[in-house]
Amino acid sequence: MAIHHFDILRYLLNDEAVTIQATSFRPSWSWFKGNPHADAAMTFSKGVHVHYRGRWAGKGKKTTWNGDIRLVGERGAIELIDDQVLLYQGEQDIPEEIPLIKTPTSDRMISLDSFIQAIKEDTVPPTSIEDNIKSLQLTWAAIESSKTGERVHL
């Protein structure tokens, strides 16, 4: 699942990760064979640091498919929590809800339509393998790091 979140991070930051250090573990109650929990620290080429936590066998409140994302900067923060976007700016830290764009079809249908248009128009679709391979590389690096305990440079 992390690969999708890595895609979102790369898209939102418009940048690529240069290092990742990850750990993973399997809680005793997990129904998975492998390690369904992971924590990772990433550094992106423009200096942004990201802390990622993923849980497949967690207890309590579940997150949506998109996960929960919080971007914090000098002038405020943006959060995607429970598929709601909140903007925090100013000193009061009072959130302003930002409405998401409603689409007439599902995200899968939009992806399929983009793929068909790319074939018809001989263009590169927005979700091409040339781009997605970078998220896959980041995922493999996270797995390597969690096995070795070392920071991986991409």
Side-chain angles (χ1 to χ4, degrees):
M1 189 61 196
I3 190 169
H4 302 296
H5 300 147
F6 293 169
D7 273 337
I8 291 170
L9 289 168
R10 291 179 48 248
Y11 175 80
L12 290 174
L13 297 172
N14 191 29
D15 198 8
E16 302 300 335
V18 292
T19 66
I20 186 166
Q21 186 160 10
T23 60
S24 66
F25 62 97
R26 182 185 178 280
S28 61
W29 64 82
S30 175
W31 53 93
F32 292 97
K33 279 186 175 181
N35 292 349
H37 291 205
D39 295 297
M42 294 169 259
T43 304
F44 283 74
S45 72
K46 296 175 185 171
V48 173
H49 295 264
V50 172
H51 300 277
Y52 176 82
R53 174 172 285 164
R55 303 282 185 261
W56 269 107
K59 302 279 188 180
K61 181 182 169 290
K62 306 290 186 225
T63 59
T64 66
W65 183 261
N66 296 318
D68 292 343
I69 298 171
R70 179 176 292 114
L71 301 171
V72 179
E74 180 181 332
R75 297 183 354 202
I78 298 173
E79 294 179 337
L80 173 67
I81 308 288
D82 295 330
D83 287 339
Q84 289 184 299
V85 178
L86 299 174
L87 173 65
Y88 294 83
Q89 56 185 357
E91 294 184 21
Q92 287 79 24
D93 253 356
I94 299 170
E96 171 190 352
E97 185 172 349
I98 307 297
L100 293 173
I101 298 169
K102 300 292 182 197
T103 58
T105 58
S106 72
D107 56 351
R108 288 166 195 83
M109 291 305 294
I110 291 169
S111 295
L112 183 58
D113 184 58
S114 295
F115 179 66
I116 291 168
Q117 292 305 314
I119 291 170
K120 286 180 177 180
E121 299 168 8
D122 194 28
T123 58
V124 177
T127 55
S128 70
I129 189 65
E130 288 90 359
D131 183 66
N132 188 255
I133 198 76
K134 296 171 187 172
S135 294
L136 186 58
Q137 178 188 27
L138 185 54
T139 303
W140 285 334
I143 293 167
E144 178 186 341
S145 176
S146 70
K147 287 179 179 179
T148 65
E150 300 293 322
R151 173 175 281 125
V152 174
H153 295 266
L154 291 103

